[in-house]
Amino acid sequence: MTLSGQAALPPFIGLVAHAMRWRLLSELARSDLRVRELVALVDQPQNLVSYHLRLLRSGGLVTARRSSFDGRDSYYHLHLERLGDGLAAAGTALHPALSLVPAPPSIAPEDTAAGDTAPSVLFACTGNSARSPIAEALLRHHTSGHIEVTSAGSHPKPQLHPDAVRVLREQYDIDIADQRPRHLDTLAGRRFDYVISLCDKVREVCPDFDEHPRRIHWSIPDPATAPDTEPAGHPIFTRTAAEIDTRIHHLLSQLAQPAPEVRP
């Protein structure tokens, strides 16, 4: 029983307030990660980490996706929309004035501190024919070209996938028909603030770059190789582009902040 007039603690608060689960959420806010990487980062036994991940998955705050590089592994991903909804609902339950209405993130010249340069971003996937060029195009579009962004692949295809070109044109009014896939090797010596892999395979082979950019991983399956349970073709490219677009919007908030310190 609760005390008379005392509001019940929202389940969301009970889920995220645990120190271990908050630490896991904090690590997953930076990048998609495997269990063994989370174990190393939080320095706790694997069975304990797995237990708390199961609770976070049951609460809808974390999702898991089987690695395309090694099917014995899974990548865990923080569901930022549900986390944001939970925080907003908890604040509103306490007092209506605490309702969270986030401002839309933006990157423009006035967002860059004096003496700083706009961040540079590299997106990478294996073929540089769908996922990474979609991410490159969407980030350039949402920042009106105010940041330096490029994409490349470890084994680039001869041309962009036509469904990737079609989805960007139809859904976002972006034309990349004249773009050609490029190899990661062609970017040797370039400086990047962020290197973002969108493919489990390319994460394993992506080269290091000068000045130690921040490495982020987004575990996104190749829409050109849909599993048996998924219909191939245009619909899966639409869903892939929508997921990348959501992640790009979350990335904008990071890019608008001062350059992060590189973690060892």
Side-chain angles (χ1 to χ4, degrees):
M1 296 180 62
T2 61
L3 296 176
S4 177
Q6 179 177 335
L9 181 71
F12 171 82
I13 296 298
L15 181 61
V16 303
H18 189 279
M20 169 67 76
R21 293 194 286 274
W22 186 258
R23 179 70 190 280
L24 293 171
L25 292 172
S26 298
E27 296 297 344
L28 291 171
R30 299 182 176 97
S31 177
D32 295 1
L33 294 165
R34 295 167 289 197
V35 169
R36 66 174 180 269
E37 293 169 326
L38 287 166
V39 166
L41 287 166
V42 304
D43 193 23
Q44 294 293 328
Q46 180 171 329
N47 61 341
L48 185 61
V49 170
S50 296
Y51 167 74
H52 287 291
L53 283 172
R54 283 196 300 271
L55 293 179
L56 291 171
R57 289 183 67 187
S58 297
L61 300 184
V62 168
T63 59
R65 181 176 278 161
R66 191 68 65 181
S67 169
S68 62
F69 174 74
D70 185 344
R72 297 168 297 181
D73 266 333
S74 291
Y75 276 97
Y76 288 83
H77 168 61
L78 178 60
H79 201 309
L80 280 171
E81 295 90 348
R82 290 178 184 167
L83 185 61
D85 290 345
L87 288 169
T92 302
L94 189 62
H95 192 285
L98 297 178
S99 177
L100 302 177
V101 182
S106 66
I107 300 289
E110 59 268 21
D111 299 318
T112 304
D116 290 343
T117 58
S120 57
V121 179
L122 167 64
F123 292 105
C125 68
T126 300
N128 192 221
S129 64
R131 290 164 292 181
S132 56
I134 287 174
E136 175 189 359
L138 288 172
L139 181 57
R140 182 175 291 114
H141 173 72
H142 289 308
T143 61
S144 301
H146 291 311
I147 72 167
E148 181 185 351
V149 56
T150 190
S151 68
S154 57
H155 296 81
K157 301 287 187 181
Q159 60 186 17
L160 297 183
H161 196 288
D163 280 325
V165 175
R166 177 184 171 190
V167 164
L168 284 174
R169 183 178 63 249
E170 294 180 350
Q171 302 293 324
Y172 305 95
D173 196 26
I174 300 172
D175 184 7
I176 62 169
D178 293 334
Q179 186 169 315
R180 293 293 177 267
R182 63 177 66 85
H183 200 289
L184 281 165
D185 289 349
T186 65
L187 303 176
R190 290 272 298 274
R191 177 193 174 278
F192 297 100
D193 296 296
Y194 292 81
V195 173
I196 303 174
S197 52
L198 292 86
C199 159
D200 301 336
K201 295 177 181 178
V202 85
R203 186 191 186 204
E204 304 296 328
V205 299
C206 189
D208 293 327
F209 289 89
D210 293 341
E211 300 188 37
H212 306 288
R214 180 172 181 180
R215 301 289 287 262
I216 297 174
H217 182 55
W218 298 348
S219 181
I220 300 176
D222 185 355
T225 57
D228 295 338
T229 56
E230 286 278 2
H234 187 252
I236 193 170
F237 278 81
T238 300
R239 291 194 296 277
T240 297
E243 177 178 350
I244 293 173
D245 193 46
T246 296
R247 292 189 186 236
I248 291 293
H249 277 87
H250 297 154
L251 178 68
L252 291 175
S253 299
Q254 293 177 261
L255 297 180
Q257 301 300 314
E261 293 183 6
V262 177
R263 299 176 58 178

